[in-house]
Amino acid sequence: MAYVQRKIAFLGTPATNPETKPFWDGCAAGKLLVPKCTACGKSHWYPRGLCPFCFSDKLEWVAASGKGKIYTVSVMERAEVPYAIGYVTLAEGPSMMTNIVDCDLGALRIGQDVVLKFVPSEGGPPMPMFTPV
Ligand SMILES: [Zn+2]
């Protein structure tokens, strides 16, 4: 999808830090990893050193199922090449900002079921995005 690759090129290669390195390594291996707290059992997004629910530092990375629902979406129709950006709520609980790709942009709806799709980036790992089921 040319429009997606152009958008990622604009954003540049994602920066990595110790809190996000496992996530990007997961992307490189084709897995969407999300942090999960072993103290309270909740998953969260974005990655950080402490659980936002109970402040424990007992975190592990778990592979997400790749299933989710559109929480909210905006279609950038006036862009040179239109695209959709929004939040997807993962089956594991957290919501993540992402792009919705390979779809009829005008048919996207809140609550719609979507599934993970990795999209190549320039000079970095593939990016986790979503497409309607
Ligand atoms: Zn916790």
Side-chain angles (χ1 to χ4, degrees):
M1 299 296 295
Y3 73 91
V4 170
Q5 289 169 348
R6 191 178 313 162
K7 198 68 199 163
I8 291 171
F10 173 75
L11 293 172
T13 302
T16 299
N17 65 44
E19 287 182 327
T20 61
K21 186 175 188 310
F23 166 74
W24 292 116
D25 289 346
C27 289
K31 294 178 183 175
L32 174 57
L33 299 181
V34 296
K36 182 177 182 178
C37 175
T38 60
C40 73
K42 294 181 181 175
S43 297
H44 62 268
W45 192 258
Y46 54 91
R48 66 202 91 171
L50 296 175
C51 171
F53 301 107
C54 74
F55 305 112
S56 171
D57 63 355
K58 304 290 187 255
L59 306 175
E60 63 180 0
W61 290 87
V62 297
S65 64
K67 296 176 183 173
K69 289 183 183 293
I70 295 176
Y71 178 76
T72 186
V73 64
S74 290
V75 176
M76 303 299 151
E77 294 188 17
R78 298 183 68 179
E80 181 182 340
V81 180
Y83 64 95
I85 188 168
Y87 279 91
V88 166
T89 301
L90 304 176
E92 290 73 19
S95 298
M96 63 185 296
M97 184 178 278
T98 184
N99 288 90
I100 314 295
V101 298
D102 293 346
C103 58
D104 175 359
L105 297 177
L108 294 174
R109 295 291 179 264
I110 289 171
Q112 188 171 1
D113 289 324
V114 290
V115 65
L116 177 67
K117 178 186 176 76
F118 278 100
V119 176
S121 69
E122 290 184 11
M127 303 283 287
M129 297 182 180
F130 290 81
T131 189
V133 171

